[in-house]
Amino acid sequence: MIQHIENELLQRSRVPFSGTPSACLIEGTKGFLYPGVRLEISSFPISISSVQAAVSSCLANQDKPVSVKWFGSKPELFDVWCDLFQLSEMKNQAKSLSLYDPLISTSDPDILLQTQLDFAVTPASDFPVSALLQVNNKDQTAWVPGVNLEPGPWSLGLCAERVAVSRALSA
């Protein structure tokens, strides 16, 4: 299962500048695997590393990351993320875990947007923000939520919009 996930995730990386794909899986305490892929943006400082995307998806689901596995090139600041959350190396038990799917179908996105505020991680600013990315899923409208995250050092945080985009491309 991991091999299939690895190939699929590496193909989802958006690396138009480096051409070097990177992907990551984070295991959370809720029993999910959170995928993350590298997303390069023309302004390099706001590119999202695969480990940052995966940890952010985990945190945005009010879950705690416990282990990590990366594929392709080693993600930027990988050791920093591992130290911050004391992440261990993921063992092969991952095949029994479910991949987290961030898609939510709802008839009222305004309510979803409001309820997602509780998922924000904002210990420094105490200013929760949520965002929704509309996607078409099998001819049906669905939403990928994102919340702002301040997981520790300010520079590691992501805005709600970037969390939603990284979750959509990773999933």
Side-chain angles (χ1 to χ4, degrees), residues 107-159:
S107 58
D108 194 341
D110 291 331
I111 291 175
L112 177 59
L113 198 58
Q114 187 64 36
T115 59
Q116 286 297 305
L117 288 173
D118 293 337
F119 288 61
V121 179
T122 59
S125 70
D126 194 28
F127 191 81
V129 177
S130 62
L132 294 175
L133 180 64
Q134 184 178 357
V135 296
N136 290 325
N137 183 34
K138 300 175 186 152
D139 298 326
Q140 194 174 26
T141 298
W143 303 93
V144 177
V147 293
N148 60 325
L149 302 168
E150 302 164 2
W154 188 258
S155 61
L156 297 180
L158 286 178
C159 67

Side-chain angles (χ1 to χ4, degrees), residues 6 30 42 51 57 62-63 77 81 89 93 130 167 171:
E6 175 183 353
K30 291 183 177 182
S42 60
V51 68
S57 184
Q62 293 183 327
D63 202 350
L77 301 174
W81 286 99
E89 182 181 338
Q93 85 277 11
S130 62
R167 284 176 122 183

Side-chain angles (χ1 to χ4, degrees), residues 4 6 23 84:
H4 173 71
E6 175 183 353
L84 184 63

Side-chain angles (χ1 to χ4, degrees), residues 72-125:
S73 66
K74 187 174 183 179
E76 296 89 345
L77 301 174
F78 182 79
D79 296 331
V80 172
W81 286 99
C82 288
D83 289 346
L84 184 63
F85 291 101
Q86 292 88 44
L87 299 176
S88 62
E89 182 181 338
M90 188 181 296
K91 305 295 181 205
N92 289 333
Q93 85 277 11
K95 57 184 145 192
S96 65
L97 301 174
S98 300
L99 267 179
Y100 178 72
D101 183 359
L103 291 179
I104 298 174
S105 297
T106 181
S107 58
D108 194 341
D110 291 331
I111 291 175
L112 177 59
L113 198 58
Q114 187 64 36
T115 59
Q116 286 297 305
L117 288 173
D118 293 337
F119 288 61
V121 179
T122 59
S125 70

